[in-house]
Amino acid sequence: MIASLTRFSRVLAAGTTVAITMLSLSACNNVTPVMPNTPITQPEQAAAPMVQVVVGDYADAGYENRSQGYDWVGVMVRSAGNEQIDIKVRARSDIKKPTCQFDGTASLMGQDKAHGVIFQTKVNDSTAFFQFKDDILTIDSQDKYALNYFCSGGASLVGDYQKLSSDLELT
């Protein structure tokens, strides 16, 4: 009887050792190695064709005459996912304090031939619309005064902006 208890103890000990080893090895598969100073990136969502078409830099009419000292406002549009865009509005800041600045994310509202591609976002208890058609970005809102908040001197984000063939020069 003592021999069978000894044999049972050895089998139990061996089984326990195997179980612990297997558990330890399987846990290793669930650990993601972390490399110091390595940024963790999320996989990018492919942008819808409607988003890809509107990505770029846009500027108002004053941008063409910036070398003569004209004030101007530019809009940088980047993809923020499948049906969203990041919008950054910047104004001339090399000679004086910038007149306008806005940062936001807008969601795709729709697209048709008559209106182009339209995105929207909430701004100061109103809805702002970003309409892209024929390389023109038109910014508008249900409450036009809601877009004055982001500009000084009575200016507003409301207006038309032409798509640029190169990157917006902020200086």
Side-chain angles (χ1 to χ4, degrees):
M1 171 124 173
I2 292 185
S4 25
L5 283 176
T6 305
R7 185 178 297 152
F8 178 73
S9 295
R10 285 186 197 153
V11 171
L12 183 61
T16 304
T17 303
V18 169
I20 290 172
T21 303
M22 295 299 283
L23 184 61
S24 297
L25 290 175
S26 69
C28 289
N29 290 333
N30 296 329
V31 176
T32 303
V34 177
M35 304 288 276
N37 299 324
T38 304
I40 297 173
T41 57
Q42 297 293 330
E44 290 186 26
Q45 269 187 317
M50 293 168 280
V51 172
Q52 293 173 0
V53 167
V54 304
V55 168
D57 292 347
Y58 299 77
D60 67 4
Y63 187 77
E64 285 185 26
N65 299 316
R66 65 189 181 281
S67 61
Q68 286 87 27
Y70 282 65
D71 196 13
W72 55 266
V73 177
V75 182
M76 295 173 281
V77 179
R78 303 295 181 261
S79 172
N82 187 34
E83 294 188 350
Q84 288 189 322
I85 54 173
D86 279 329
I87 299 167
K88 293 185 185 310
V89 177
R90 299 292 184 264
R92 175 177 213 141
S93 62
D94 59 337
I95 296 175
K96 61 181 190 148
K97 183 179 175 184
T99 53
C100 296
Q101 182 170 334
F102 171 81
D103 292 286
T105 301
S107 300
L108 179 65
M109 186 174 163
Q111 174 186 20
D112 63 29
K113 285 186 179 186
H115 300 99
V117 182
I118 301 175
F119 290 82
Q120 66 181 358
T121 191
K122 282 292 190 188
V123 176
N124 293 337
D125 297 327
S126 183
T127 301
F129 300 100
F130 301 88
Q131 177 185 9
F132 298 87
K133 185 172 185 215
D134 301 328
D135 287 338
I136 302 286
L137 161 61
T138 302
I139 300 177
D140 205 354
S141 177
Q142 294 170 331
D143 175 7
K144 295 195 186 317
Y145 297 112
L147 297 175
N148 289 17
Y149 175 81
F150 303 98
C151 299
S152 61
S156 175
L157 298 180
V158 172
D160 292 333
Y161 302 85
Q162 177 70 45
K163 190 169 190 176
L164 303 174
S165 58
S166 60
D167 292 340
L168 186 68
E169 293 180 27
L170 295 175
T171 57

